Amino acid sequence: MPMDLYQLLRTCTSTRRLRSLHALLIISGRIHDVFFPTTLINLYSRLSDLRSAALSFSRTPNKNIFSFNSIIATYIHHGLPLDAGYCFKSLLLAGPRVRPDEFTFPVALKASLDLKYGKAMHSLVGKLGLGWNVFVSSSLMRMYSRFGAVRDAEKVFVEMPERDSGAWNAMVSGFCQNGMADDAVRIFSEMVTEGVRVDRITIASVLPVCAPLDDFLLGVSIHVFTIKQGLDVELFVSNALIDMYAKLGSVESARQVFDDMLDRDLVTWNSIIGAYEQSGNPRTALQLHSEMQRSGVQSDVLTLVSLASAVAESGTVRSGQSVHAYITRRGWEADDIIAGNAIVDMYAKLGKVELAQRMFDKMPVRDVISWNTLLTGYSQNGLANEAIEIYETMEQHEGITPIQGTLVSVLPAYSHVGALQKGMRIHGQAIRIGLHSDLYVGTCLIDMYAKCGRLNEAIVLFEQEVPRASSGPWNAIIAGYGIHGHGEQALSIFTQMEQERVKPDNVTFVSLLSACSHAGLVDGGQRYFQVMQSKYGIRPAVKHYACMVDLLGRAGHLDAAYGFIRTMPIEPDSGVWGALLGACRVHGNVELGALASKFLFEIDPENVGYYVLLSNMYAKAGKWDGVNDVRSLARRRHLQKTPGWSSIEVNNKVNVFFTGNQSHPQYEDICKEMVILLAKMKSLGYVPDYSFVLQDVEEDEKEHILSNHSERLAITFGIMNTTPKTPIQIFKNLRVCGDCHNATKFISRITEREIIVRDSNRFHHFKDGNCSCRDYW
DNA sequence: GTAGGGTTAG
């Protein structure tokens, strides 16, 4: 009996057994039974034996539509749309006896690789009169949605003679996948009001739009709805709920759903691990991963990507390397670009930029995110010049267009080194790709213009371009006024911010307090330190305390500053003591300076800047024992001075000078020019101040050291390479040395140049032998 | 003997 044979075939669990039964069918001649070829294709397909399936198909003498449908489905299910498309074409050429039917299209449509092909399929459906079938029409809708043609999908939906839940679902997910969240929700509500049966697929399709809409209430009401319908027990639904709650910021609700689940699959675990990782609980994420392993669920590449992010936030380089090794072992780093990017990001966040770079170099394919990740890695590890280099290399690679994140990463690097012309080029780029009014890009542009000395451009952007409903742009412009010494304007911007009801955050007050400090507005600073707490409920962080110490100290209230530190409810850090030490240096209070140094040498013993400051103070006061003590302490601790560097942008090229670095091609010429300048300066009364030389060397060597300071090299280079009497703008990574500060005053007078120096602290505008800077050295 | 769909990442 043939039925017995079919049943026997269906019980095959190995392709070997199936093949021997197949041979038996051929020998016995039973293979000519019309049902066998199709059954065999389907069974081989189920056992993933594509070769045998294809062979059965090609050996079928009179192929009927069942055989065609099965072989097409086989290829689609095994991810081979090209082969499926080929079979579909041969079906069309097979003659009038076999034609595609309503079973063919739902599968065959998945083989369409572009909209044009899909539209041809649609017109074929019309010619064959198959549009009445819900499966066919829903599949057409999915095809259109896949290529972004949601309106065409909607047309099919509207014109369908009858619609089942699947058709409605196709409409909901079509809108969702094309980012049309409002329409998706609209269709979903229509479904409910028209009494169409909502199933787990509807829910799993519509839940992901709650997060982009930022609509927590919608999410909760859908959740309630699923409970009423008894759909909350469905795995897909629960998984989507976890993700929805996590993305809307409620990890607790996500956890509640997770805890209530009876079955969990890989997606469940990935979602909850991702939820904790994204919400700043990397440790919990790592714990959950161990729990997942204990419950016997195998990780996939998505798990590892979340794990890499969690390790980046809280892990060690060791655990980072084991995540990396796991990904390599599974072969994911070669064929998953996201996994590669995650590793680059992880190493960069762990401070291992070399390892990040090595991973980046190894990646076979890179996208714009890969470049962004590496760029941000350099930038956030303080390697602005390297970040810039990466950006410029990226620009030379065709086919990579910068996105928001690219500009947001590269602009601070340009701000950092004071590369105005390059920054302006990015501004142009932002305009071209329509991102110049973007909140984040705009904020970075404001910051860039302010830090590159163009406060006016920053103001224009703030006033006219950038959306100002959130604190970011306000913080940037307040800080901009601050570093340029315009404290009053910074305060008035803050007043305006309050009037426009924009909520200030902790960054706002850091900017505001430091603006007060630079401008000597002691009362204002103290008032806003109170306002921050009483009116806005922001508890001062250590950064705010450092600003206050700076504010009091700079203004000469050294004892008040010290008293303020004594009453701090939190542990003062190096920023706080450093502010006090800096103030002591300015006002010549050696004892208090020594006290501050004592703390600094404990908290931050590697930072050589503090040793330099203290030594300078002793030198200025003529306390040579003190100088020697500090120097030998620094030597004992094997401290090397942070390499100081200055940069100047000439003809769109950034020239970087390191202190004492003689490798610049024009070094010889710069030295000659410097000798001439120095003679003129001395004739006008310039006397080198050797207290700024930490090295223990002879006097004439000291003069050589001072004139090899990076800022001096950069300024001289600028004088030689720019039009006479035009302004010169320099950037220095550390604070400008006091002797260079004095020297620059003379240089500005001799060369009749305006010289603008931005150092790690503020702007100095030198003009006619004076400096705008309120601090004295 | 054959058909459609949904959730997670850098």
Side-chain angles (χ1 to χ4, degrees):
Chain A
M1 293 215 340
M3 273 322 285
D4 293 338
L5 254 173
Y6 280 112
Q7 271 162 13
L8 200 59
L9 283 172
R10 279 200 200 92
T11 57
C12 285
T13 48
S14 84
T15 145
R16 235 167 98 187
R17 178 149 169 74
L18 188 57
R19 278 194 219 149
S20 51
L21 282 176
H22 188 174
L24 209 67
L25 284 173
I26 295 171
I27 295 165
S28 63
R30 297 282 299 279
I31 192 71
H32 298 296
D33 187 316
V34 281
F35 296 147
F36 278 130
T38 310
T39 309
L40 282 165
I41 294 170
N42 292 333
L43 291 175
Y44 279 126
S45 173
R46 208 175 65 191
L47 296 168
S48 296
D49 185 350
L50 293 197
R51 278 177 62 105
S52 303
L55 219 59
S56 310
F57 176 71
S58 66
R59 291 203 183 140
T60 305
N62 295 309
K63 299 179 179 67
N64 60 20
I65 188 60
F66 291 96
S67 307
F68 275 104
N69 288 348
S70 295
I71 193 68
I72 293 170
T74 301
Y75 283 128
I76 288 292
H77 289 148
H78 290 86
L80 297 163
L82 290 177
D83 298 82
Y86 178 76
C87 292
F88 182 74
K89 265 182 213 150
S90 59
L91 163 60
L92 296 182
L93 298 171
R97 211 175 41 77
V98 271
R99 302 164 99 202
D101 64 5
E102 68 271 29
F103 288 89
T104 316
F105 284 99
V107 184
L109 273 164
K110 287 205 250 172
S112 46
L113 295 174
D114 55 41
L115 188 58
K116 209 177 136 205
Y117 187 103
K119 281 193 167 160
M121 296 275 258
H122 190 175
S123 73
L124 193 58
V125 166
K127 265 186 222 146
L128 295 166
L130 295 170
W132 56 268
N133 182 289
V134 278
F135 286 83
V136 173
S137 287
S138 307
S139 305
L140 281 170
M141 290 169 63
R142 290 208 167 77
M143 178 275 297
Y144 278 125
S145 302
R146 187 153 55 95
F147 298 123
V150 212
R151 292 301 164 205
D152 290 303
E154 201 178 8
K155 198 155 169 271
V156 176
F157 181 69
V158 171
E159 288 169 0
M160 280 171 83
E162 57 169 329
R163 303 182 194 112
D164 64 353
S165 294
W168 284 85
N169 290 347
M171 200 63 255
V172 172
S173 69
F175 283 129
C176 292
Q177 282 156 6
N178 285 282
M180 298 159 76
D182 291 318
D183 294 271
V185 174
R186 196 194 76 223
I187 295 291
F188 174 70
S189 348
E190 265 177 51
M191 255 180 112
V192 177
T193 49
E194 291 195 15
V196 183
R197 198 174 64 86
V198 170
D199 59 15
R200 65 206 161 102
I201 290 161
T202 325
I203 302 296
S205 307
V206 78
L207 276 174
V209 304
C210 300
L213 288 173
D214 197 23
D215 196 337
F216 190 79
L217 274 179
L218 177 67
V220 173
S221 52
I222 296 178
H223 188 183
V224 171
F225 179 83
T226 62
I227 295 171
K228 281 191 197 150
Q229 303 286 314
L231 291 167
D232 57 319
V233 292
E234 295 282 351
L235 189 58
F236 267 81
V237 169
S238 303
N239 291 347
L241 280 169
I242 291 176
D243 189 58
M244 181 272 293
Y245 279 125
K247 289 216 172 89
L248 286 166
S250 177
V251 206
E252 305 78 36
S253 311
R255 184 60 187 245
Q256 191 64 52
V257 174
F258 176 82
D259 287 339
D260 290 346
M261 285 170 79
L262 298 173
D263 311 306
R264 299 175 183 136
D265 69 354
L266 179 59
V267 178
T268 319
W269 286 102
N270 285 350
S271 303
I272 196 74
I273 290 171
Y276 279 104
E277 182 266 306
Q278 298 272 321
S279 66
N281 287 305
R283 285 172 194 287
T284 318
L286 294 174
Q287 281 163 13
L288 279 161
H289 179 249
S290 319
E291 223 176 286
M292 164 181 163
Q293 285 179 314
R294 261 179 274 132
S295 76
V297 177
Q298 276 279 331
S299 305
D300 72 349
V301 63
L302 272 68
T303 325
L304 268 291
V305 167
S306 292
L307 213 56
S309 305
V311 167
E313 298 300 331
S314 75
T316 55
V317 179
R318 248 184 109 81
S319 50
Q321 280 168 327
S322 72
V323 169
H324 185 180
Y326 190 92
I327 289 179
T328 311
R329 264 205 309 282
R330 301 290 295 263
W332 291 329
E333 83 174 18
D335 53 44
D336 195 314
I337 213 171
I338 295 182
N341 293 345
I343 305 271
V344 174
D345 187 51
M346 178 188 74
Y347 281 133
K349 289 218 175 89
L350 290 169
K352 295 285 167 194
V353 208
E354 334 77 60
L355 292 177
Q357 176 77 57
R358 211 183 298 163
M359 179 67 222
F360 180 85
D361 293 338
K362 268 206 307 194
M363 289 171 66
V365 190
R366 305 178 192 114
D367 63 5
V368 64
I369 307 281
S370 321
W371 288 93
N372 277 6
T373 310
L374 188 66
L375 174 55
T376 312
Y378 277 113
S379 195
Q380 293 187 343
N381 280 288
L383 300 163
N385 288 310
E386 285 79 355
I388 290 168
E389 214 171 287
I390 294 294
Y391 179 75
E392 286 167 2
T393 316
M394 184 192 104
E395 278 190 314
Q396 288 155 14
H397 277 70
E398 280 179 47
I400 304 257
T401 312
I403 54 172
Q404 184 208 47
T406 324
L407 304 190
V408 168
S409 285
V410 76
L411 276 169
Y414 285 135
S415 311
H416 190 80
V417 299
L420 175 67
Q421 289 154 21
K422 288 179 181 239
M424 286 171 73
R425 222 167 47 79
I426 302 290
H427 189 181
Q429 186 109 18
I431 293 171
R432 268 198 300 287
I433 52 182
L435 281 173
H436 58 296
S437 325
D438 176 83
L439 172 63
Y440 296 94
V441 173
T443 301
C444 290
L445 283 169
I446 293 173
D447 176 75
M448 185 276 292
Y449 278 114
K451 287 201 178 132
C452 290
R454 298 296 174 91
L455 187 57
N456 281 334
E457 272 83 350
I459 295 170
V460 170
L461 276 182
F462 177 74
E463 301 282 347
Q464 296 172 11
E465 287 285 349
V466 182
R468 43 204 275 170
S470 51
S471 61
W474 294 87
N475 298 349
I477 197 71
I478 289 173
Y481 276 119
I483 53 173
H484 284 275
H486 304 306
E488 301 284 359
Q489 280 95 326
L491 294 186
S492 92
I493 290 282
F494 180 74
T495 310
Q496 209 180 325
M497 187 176 179
E498 288 187 305
Q499 283 162 357
E500 294 186 25
R501 298 188 185 283
V502 180
K503 207 170 151 245
D505 55 20
N506 61 330
V507 182
T508 315
F509 287 100
V510 172
S511 302
L512 200 60
L513 295 176
S514 82
C516 290
S517 159
H518 283 304
L521 303 171
V522 181
D523 291 344
Q526 284 178 316
R527 192 169 67 245
Y528 284 109
F529 188 69
Q530 291 308 323
V531 166
M532 168 172 89
Q533 301 168 67
S534 57
K535 188 166 171 191
Y536 295 103
I538 297 171
R539 191 158 2 122
V542 71
K543 275 204 148 191
H544 300 108
Y545 285 103
C547 285
M548 291 305 288
V549 172
D550 194 56
L551 176 86
L552 294 167
R554 241 181 239 265
H557 309 308
L558 292 177
D559 293 329
Y562 181 55
F564 183 79
I565 297 178
R566 299 294 298 269
T567 60
M568 273 175 65
I570 52 175
E571 192 70 22
D573 71 348
S574 60
V576 174
W577 289 115
L580 184 65
L581 177 62
C584 290
R585 165 78 174 97
V586 172
H587 296 285
N589 187 332
V590 182
E591 280 150 44
L592 198 53
L595 181 76
S597 303
K598 207 183 89 199
F599 287 103
L600 285 165
F601 295 162
E602 274 170 33
I603 303 171
D604 195 3
E606 303 283 304
N607 192 328
V608 74
Y610 304 130
Y611 299 81
V612 180
L613 264 175
L614 184 63
S615 156
N616 289 347
M617 286 175 68
Y618 280 130
K620 192 142 197 169
K623 300 193 170 178
W624 303 106
D625 291 348
V627 175
N628 287 332
D629 288 349
V630 179
R631 285 181 185 175
S632 59
L633 180 63
R635 220 173 294 134
R636 268 205 308 283
R637 293 186 174 174
H638 303 291
L639 292 184
Q640 292 197 323
K641 236 179 138 175
T642 312
W645 54 266
S646 299
S647 61
I648 177 168
E649 205 180 24
V650 174
N651 297 329
N652 225 339
K653 188 176 178 304
V654 179
N655 295 270
V656 183
F657 294 88
F658 286 86
T659 295
N661 183 313
Q662 311 185 349
S663 65
H664 193 274
Q666 287 191 44
Y667 182 72
E668 293 294 322
D669 298 332
I670 294 172
C671 286
K672 281 182 198 153
E673 179 71 26
M674 204 124 63
V675 172
I676 299 167
L677 256 177
L678 202 57
K680 289 184 189 166
M681 285 155 64
K682 282 183 176 166
S683 71
L684 284 174
Y686 164 72
V687 182
D689 181 350
Y690 297 139
S691 70
F692 289 97
V693 179
L694 187 63
Q695 295 95 325
D696 191 12
V697 290
E698 299 299 321
E699 292 279 297
D700 56 338
E701 178 63 14
K702 286 183 178 176
E703 184 173 296
H704 179 70
I705 287 170
L706 285 178
S707 55
N708 260 301
H709 274 177
S710 64
E711 53 267 57
R712 210 81 70 89
L713 295 171
I715 290 171
T716 313
F717 175 83
I719 291 166
M720 294 161 61
N721 290 284
T722 55
T723 318
K725 300 194 182 177
T726 54
I728 289 182
Q729 195 164 324
I730 305 292
F731 172 79
K732 163 141 195 182
N733 69 328
L734 306 173
R735 281 228 206 174
V736 170
C737 139
D739 181 63
C740 290
H741 191 265
N742 186 31
T744 309
K745 288 184 188 169
F746 284 92
I747 298 173
S748 76
R749 193 153 125 211
I750 293 164
T751 60
E752 296 179 45
R753 296 248 198 181
E754 192 181 342
I755 302 173
I756 301 147
V757 180
R758 189 189 122 208
D759 67 9
S760 58
N761 186 38
R762 56 164 299 142
F763 271 93
H764 305 265
H765 291 264
F766 296 93
K767 205 176 174 183
D768 305 327
N770 292 308
C771 179
S772 65
C773 167
R774 292 167 39 88
D775 308 335
Y776 62 88
W777 296 81

